[in-house]
Structures are given as C-alpha cells and as structure tokens.
Amino acid sequence: MQVHILASGSSGNAIFFQMGSTKVLIDAGISAKRIELGLASVGVRAEELDAILITHEHSDHVKGIDVLVRRHQIPVFARPKTWEQISCQEKLPSACVKYLEDDLELNNLYIKPFPISHDAVDPVGFTLFSGNFKGVVATDLGLVDEAVSDALEMADIAILEANHDVQMLRNGAYPTFLKERILGNRGHLSNIEAGKLLANIKKKPNMQVFLAHLSRENNLPSLAYNTVTDILTQAGYELGTDIELRCASSYKVCSYIA
Ligand SMILES: [Zn+2]
Ligand SMILES: [Zn+2]
C-alpha cells in the first residue's frame, strides 16, 4: 500500500493511492506536467493509472484533467452532476468520461464515495478498501456529519482536511464574505473540527493521518499539528502509538508506504 500526496491545498490537490497493483489518483487539481513529475518521483508513469476519481468540480481539484486525460487516456470517475460542471468534458475521449454512482470496483480495490457538505453540486469524499485495509480522503467539507465519521472510523490511513485556524481566519485579511464562506457549513474544516473528529471516532491502533488542504493564509503546519495533537492528547491518545499525524504540503510530495 502506498499513498503519495502530490499536492494539497487551495492551489491544487492530487493524491495517488496504490493498493496491490491497482493505482488511482484522487483529484487532478494541479497541471498535468506536475502530476507526471510527481508520479515519476515515486516511480509511477501516468499511463499506469487505472482511474482518476474526482471529489468535486472546483478548479483546485480538476484543472489538470484536460491535458492529463487526453495525453494518457485514463478513465475519470465523477458524479453525473459534477461532470456537468467540468468544462473540459466535451474535449475528453468519451470512453474516459465515467459516471460515478454508488460504488466502484477496480481489480482488488473497492471504492465507496460518501457525501460531504461543501459548496459544490455533488461533492464526495472517498473510502478505499483492499483486503483488511481502509483508506479515506475527506477534504473540502464544512462540517462533520455521520457519513464523514463513519468513513473515518477504523481507517488505516486518512487524508483529512485541517484547513484553517479559526482565530487566524477571523483576524486575517480575507473579505467578510469569504471568511463566512470558509467558516460556513458548506466551507472548510478547521483544525479544531479535524481534531475533535479524530478524537471521537473508533480507531485502529496506529492510525496514520495526513492533515490536508491547509490554508496558506489562515493556517500553519505547526499550528494544525499542535491543535490536533492537543485535542487528541486531552482525549487520552498517545501520538506516535495510537495515531500518527503528518501535514500534507501544497508543493512537495508527502508519502506513506506500508
Ligand atoms: Zn479544494
Ligand atoms: Zn472545494
């Protein structure tokens, strides 16, 4: 099992998962060139991808699709309503445009989308199962509901949004409408919300967590890490034993290989 977060944040998102021989990319929100280079740095060629899975239509999740898919003919799975919002759809080879319904099986990998609350037409997170292994991607969500906590429960690895520090956002330079959007129920998850979610779910020992989609303006990796660590410690968990935390980056590849 391998996870390589090629990029994470509002400037672009792309996460590579390999389970057994199956290789998928979740979101393609950086340029095709950056995706190819990121994959090459971990020994993978883009044409080896079995699928690309799209969480929602915001450009930081889809802007690399056009070139990447026309160049390498990779099947792309997105919700039907999401496809309607992706302007390059007509330019893609029709065999690559795949509608994501309830779940998906690719070789040994079982993929189940779950709904998230975000200001997009039909946004989803993903759970990936292979044998006893469970991986989760949950970013771009304004709140934690039962679908989200169920998805995170008993995961071996989770890529979880810790977008902002509420104080930094409130005191920062963003215009009021944008602050309200981010803080709202269809915006983004704060460090505290991410910490509480992790503290409250049923966990496997040694759960691996990447805090992701960190805001460059309204967060710092150290602040996200420390806030979540404090909440987990107060809840009685030992960092490094019960749960291992890392922060994903917007510009460098972050990897976990098991
Ligand atoms: Zn995003
Ligand atoms: Zn978004």
Side-chain angles (χ1 to χ4, degrees):
M1 200 291 306
Q2 299 191 23
V3 179
H4 302 283
I5 304 175
L6 307 185
S8 179
S10 53
S11 57
N13 297 273
I15 304 167
F16 171 76
F17 264 90
Q18 177 168 353
M19 291 189 183
S21 59
T22 308
K23 302 179 177 84
V24 297
L25 192 68
I26 298 184
D27 288 330
I30 48 177
S31 71
K33 174 132 206 199
R34 273 190 69 194
I35 292 172
E36 290 163 353
L37 289 172
L39 290 175
S41 76
V42 298
V44 175
R45 284 172 292 121
E47 59 266 33
E48 291 175 57
L49 290 172
D50 293 286
I52 300 172
L53 310 166
I54 301 297
T55 58
H56 65 295
E57 69 274 18
H58 291 160
S59 70
D60 58 318
H61 298 261
V62 300
K63 64 175 172 257
I65 290 178
D66 186 6
V67 174
L68 190 72
V69 171
R70 283 190 289 128
R71 199 178 277 164
H72 302 289
Q73 314 286 310
I74 306 155
V76 184
F77 291 84
R79 303 288 272 181
K81 281 194 204 153
T82 302
W83 269 125
E84 287 173 19
Q85 304 294 319
I86 298 177
S87 56
C88 69
Q89 182 193 343
E90 288 136 40
K91 289 195 273 169
L92 301 179
S94 58
C96 293
V97 176
K98 304 279 193 189
Y99 291 98
L100 178 70
E101 303 294 348
D102 280 345
D103 47 22
L104 178 64
E105 259 185 277
L106 291 169
N107 313 318
N108 57 336
L109 184 61
Y110 173 73
I111 298 157
K112 193 162 174 51
F114 59 94
I116 53 173
S117 177
H118 189 55
D119 54 357
V121 289
D122 191 9
V124 293
F126 288 104
T127 37
L128 300 96
F129 299 90
S130 182
N132 291 327
F133 186 90
K134 181 182 185 182
V136 187
V137 175
T139 67
D140 298 72
L141 60 165
L143 54 82
V144 171
D145 57 14
E146 215 182 314
V148 173
S149 18
D150 284 355
L152 269 287
E153 207 167 271
M154 301 302 280
D156 295 272
I157 187 162
I159 289 120
L160 173 65
E161 173 162 61
N163 177 260
H164 56 274
D165 174 78
V166 175
Q167 272 329 95
M168 266 181 94
L169 175 64
R170 282 198 202 282
N171 300 332
Y174 276 12
T176 306
F177 81 90
L178 194 50
K179 291 182 182 179
E180 278 169 6
R181 187 212 144 214
I182 295 168
L183 290 165
N185 282 347
R186 301 180 74 212
H188 290 277
L189 214 61
S190 69
N191 296 339
I192 290 180
E193 290 169 308
K196 283 185 179 163
L197 166 58
L198 290 171
N200 288 334
I201 53 163
K202 222 163 108 195
K203 285 181 280 300
K204 274 190 188 168
N206 201 231
M207 181 188 189
Q208 303 292 316
V209 176
F210 280 95
L211 300 175
H213 216 297
L214 269 66
S215 168
R216 222 179 302 177
E217 290 77 17
N218 305 308
N219 210 352
L220 295 165
S222 58
L223 190 53
Y225 183 91
N226 291 335
T227 304
V228 174
T229 297
D230 286 350
I231 294 170
L232 287 166
T233 308
Q234 274 166 28
Y237 293 105
E238 198 173 313
L239 269 289
T241 314
D242 297 320
I243 187 162
E244 209 162 315
L245 281 184
R246 299 173 183 81
C247 288
S249 160
S250 59
Y251 60 91
K252 73 172 204 299
V253 179
C254 298
S255 302
Y256 176 73
I257 301 171

